[in-house]
Amino acid sequence: MALYPQARRAIEAQAGVQPVHDPSYDIATARAQSRVVAASQPREDVDEVRDLDAGGVPCRYYRPAASTPGLVVHLHGGGFVFNDVDVHDAAVRRLANRSGLAVLSVDYRRPPEHRFPAAPDDVDTVLAWLERNFPLAGQSWLTGDDEERRDKIPVLVHGDSAGANLALVAALRHPGRFAGVALIYPFLDPTGGFESYGTAAEGFDRREAQWYWQQYAATEADYTDPDLAPLLAKNLNTLPPTLVVTAEHDPLRDEGEHLAHLLAEAGVKVVASRQLGMVHGFWRHPDAFDAAEPLTRQVAGFLRMLV
């Protein structure tokens, strides 16, 4: 199937951009440029936004007006290497407002400075901190009967791309901890072995994907560790209701859809959808892709349904 015009224009705009696997590629400069671009983007008001230290892991907390009791743990994408809570700020604001749920965006450590398992370990640290501190003091909706059921307030987990990998791993590491999981074009297979790497790769190819895995993995043994490659996990059946969204022209398409099939066979309540005409990364850019806002609302509706 053909790319939609918006996706085609996005790919054309990337023509000539230095690939990450170029030996002279400067990670620090690329990170800084991403923050500058993100800072220039419009962002919605959210009733409460504050930075937190969650057991030593920086996080940003968002609570929309008239929020429903519940919390979404958001794990940002970026090939494990790029992006942070600032780059994802606008997207998380939209998710909080659309879902009516508080969101905690996690600024996990990134490679190559901090290789696997630093990122999933940071998520573990945040979850342990939440056990002690959530609901957070001062949340206006934690009153009356809510105070008596504070331990039952649902926590959900969401991520895109590499963040979806971390979200899935968090749910597998902590069976029963989450009320739901939402994954947007998850980055799951370090072998790059699925057919879509050859048939659907637009603006993102196997060589780039392998570079990200090489930055993330600390040893060869890590490539077969289910905490890095969660398609190898033996406890997929322990997952709560899960949403998996893929993009038609994304090399990660087939691994995400394979995950959905595995979950269905394991008896997990799973909903999967493919965004036609779209490429990897579109979700964060409603200014460039008409599909981004409806997808945010789809994710928000799925999460809200589970609280």
Side-chain angles (χ1 to χ4, degrees), residues 164-180:
N165 175 299
L166 297 174
L168 177 58
V169 168
L172 292 168
R173 279 187 169 192
H174 301 275
R177 181 68 181 89
F178 297 108

Side-chain angles (χ1 to χ4, degrees), residues 219-259:
T219 69
E220 284 298 316
D222 292 339
Y223 286 101
T224 55
D225 187 326
D227 285 350
L228 182 144
L231 289 177
L232 302 178
K234 303 299 184 184
N235 64 330
L236 291 173
N237 64 301
T238 65
L239 290 175
T242 299
L243 173 69
V244 182
V245 180
T246 60
E248 182 181 20
H249 296 278
D250 182 354
L252 308 188
R253 182 194 68 203
D254 288 356
E255 60 202 71
E257 294 176 7
H258 179 65
L259 171 68

